[in-house]
């Protein structure tokens, strides 16, 4: 709980600073937003590592192979990065670029999930 309070406080502080600076220098305001985002992601990296370790442990306990777990984790990572990049593009008033990032993220997420889809198809073929 205290982690999200720290993140929220840092984000609100950075947003307020960006609003004040944006009138005179939009580039600095944008850089401030990117920097704040990077700090928030770095702060959360420990939690992300713990989630990855738990997912690996659950996969081992459940008897799931890496072919099943890895595509799910990759797809999740692609979704997070895509969302962040698209939001930054929207903040920079580049809606077209944000749409391109979202489309690319969708295509890459589908490509990352192909091994999982192939595994499901193999199971279906075996059942038939």
């Amino acid at each position: 709980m205290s982690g999200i309070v720290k993140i929220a406080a840092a984000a609100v502080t950075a947003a307020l600073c960006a609003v004040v600076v944006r009138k005179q220098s939009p580039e600095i305001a944008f850089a401030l937003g990117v920097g704040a985002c990077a700090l928030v992601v770095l702060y959360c990296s420990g939690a992300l590592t713990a989630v990855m370790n738990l997912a690996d442990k659950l996969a081992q306990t459940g008897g799931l192979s890496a072919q099943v777990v890895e595509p799910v984790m990759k797809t999740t990572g692609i979704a997070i990065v895509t969302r962040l990049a698209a939001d930054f593009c929207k903040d920079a008033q580049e809606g077209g670029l944000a749409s391109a990032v979202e489309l690319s993220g969708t295509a890459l997420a589908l490509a990352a999930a192909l091994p999982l889809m192939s595994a499901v198809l193999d199971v279906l073929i075996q059942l038939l």
Side-chain angles (χ1 to χ4, degrees):
M1 179 72 174
S2 67
I4 191 62
V5 172
K6 290 176 185 177
I7 290 170
V12 168
T13 302
L16 289 173
C17 290
V19 167
V20 170
V21 172
R22 183 169 286 127
K23 293 176 185 176
Q24 295 180 350
S25 180
E27 299 84 11
I28 292 176
F30 181 74
L32 180 63
V34 171
C37 180
L39 288 175
V40 167
V41 170
L42 284 174
Y43 182 79
C44 293
S45 64
L48 294 174
T49 302
V51 169
M52 298 259 311
N53 291 338
L54 180 61
D56 288 340
K57 190 174 182 178
L58 287 172
Q60 290 173 356
T61 303
L64 297 174
S65 69
Q67 291 176 335
V68 173
V69 176
E70 189 175 320
V72 173
M73 298 305 281
K74 281 184 180 180
T75 303
T76 303
I78 290 168
I80 291 169
V81 171
T82 299
R83 177 70 186 260
L84 287 172
D87 285 346
F88 277 121
C89 291
K90 289 175 185 173
D91 285 348
Q93 307 300 315
E94 293 293 334
L97 186 57
S99 295
V101 168
E102 290 170 347
L103 180 63
S104 298
T106 301
L108 292 172
L110 287 172
L114 283 177
L116 183 58
M117 290 186 235
S118 295
V120 169
L121 182 61
D122 291 342
V123 169
L124 288 174
I125 289 171
Q126 289 177 357
L127 289 175
L128 296 174

